[in-house]
Amino acid sequence: MALLITDECINCDVCEPECPNQAISMGVEIYQIDPVKCTECVGHFDEPQCVQVCPVDCIPKDPAHVEANESLWVKYRQLQALAAAPTPTPR
Ligand code: SF4
Ligand code: SF4
């Protein structure tokens, strides 16, 4: 399951640099989480780092993106493979 930032977010900027998957970015008004990249920190940490640091506790699990632990591990491995792939050089 990916996580979700609610509109209680105060844009404190603390969570964005803590995400090991670069899944957090500034949205139109508040920060947002890309569910394609969020592994709930599986593969990196025991606990979701954004939840650990958020001062207003506004990062629940996203019911629209329910995933089993195995799926999160698959996502983690896919993200690692993408990160390791060489960048295509322009011709
Ligand atoms: S749970 Fe982990 S991977 Fe997901 S957004 Fe938070 S810090 Fe990033
Ligand atoms: S840590 Fe919480 S309040 Fe701060 S930017 Fe992230 S989601 Fe918003």
Side-chain angles (χ1 to χ4, degrees):
M1 186 170 328
L3 302 189
L4 169 76
I5 294 175
T6 71
D7 59 10
E8 291 169 65
C9 171
I10 57 171
N11 292 337
C12 73
D13 306 329
V14 171
C15 59
E16 191 265 337
E18 298 297 326
C19 179
N21 294 324
Q22 288 81 50
I24 302 175
S25 62
M26 188 63 195
V28 177
E29 292 185 350
I30 56 171
Y31 276 86
Q32 61 190 9
I33 293 174
D34 182 348
V36 174
K37 292 183 178 176
C38 176
T39 63
E40 284 187 50
C41 284
V42 162
H44 295 281
F45 300 100
D46 291 338
E47 299 287 337
Q49 297 300 288
C50 54
V51 175
Q52 298 283 309
V53 299
C54 180
V56 294
D57 197 18
C58 70
I59 317 180
K61 292 189 174 186
D62 184 352
H65 293 97
V66 178
E67 289 167 281
N69 208 43
E70 287 169 17
S71 304
L72 293 170
W73 273 104
V74 169
K75 194 195 288 189
Y76 163 73
R77 292 195 193 97
Q78 289 172 339
L79 289 169
Q80 292 298 107
L82 274 176
T87 309
T89 47
R91 298 183 179 207

